[in-house]
Amino acid sequence: QVQLRDSGGGLVQAGGSLRLSCAVSGRTFTTSAVGWFRQAPGQEREFVAAIMRNSGSTYYAESVEGRFTISRDAAKNTVYLDMNILKPEDTATYYCGASTLTYPNSRYYYAARTYGYWGQGTQVTVSS
């Protein structure tokens, strides 16, 4: 089993920044990737960013490319999402997920169904 605890959300003005954290515990050695997704009311959960456990490769949704950065601290088993130049449309509940599946093609890690473990979510609200 893998447990995730995400945190760091809050209320910020447009143009501001936030850092989200995802603490991973349990059988962390079984994970292949950690991803961040977000879900606004009435919307589907959408991919934001992912980082691969072995290679450290990172992937981003086009809507956040250049503004958000995903990183990890292996010693702390924590993955971060640094969000800059926030926009009102970034408002959502953000979830980190862990995948234990291994795919040769990175596109699979853009899909929520690839992740079997999820944090409880942290709310990000960007005011205009």
Side-chain angles (χ1 to χ4, degrees), residues 13-46:
Q13 288 189 333
S17 300
L18 278 175
R19 166 176 264 204
L20 305 184
S21 299
C22 176
V24 185
S25 60
R27 297 169 62 88
T28 59
F29 61 90
T30 66
T31 61
S32 57
V34 172
W36 284 99
F37 287 73
R38 64 188 182 187
Q39 189 167 19
Q43 303 293 319
E44 292 189 357
R45 191 167 294 191
E46 68 168 347

Side-chain angles (χ1 to χ4, degrees), residues 62-123:
E62 284 189 15
S63 59
V64 306
E65 184 87 51
R67 298 189 298 124
F68 290 12
T69 302
I70 189 170
S71 62
R72 64 183 179 183
D73 183 331
K76 295 182 179 179
N77 283 325
T78 301
V79 174
Y80 303 100
L81 184 68
D82 288 296
M83 306 185 295
N84 298 307
I85 317 175
L86 282 161
K87 305 175 181 180
E89 51 264 43
D90 293 319
T91 295
T93 302
Y94 283 69
Y95 298 89
C96 65
S99 175
T100 57
L101 303 176
T102 302
Y103 293 107
N105 192 316
S106 62
R107 65 184 175 89
Y108 288 96
Y109 296 98
Y110 288 65
R113 64 180 180 272
T114 296
Y115 298 80
Y117 300 93
W118 294 94
Q120 78 283 1
T122 185
Q123 178 67 36

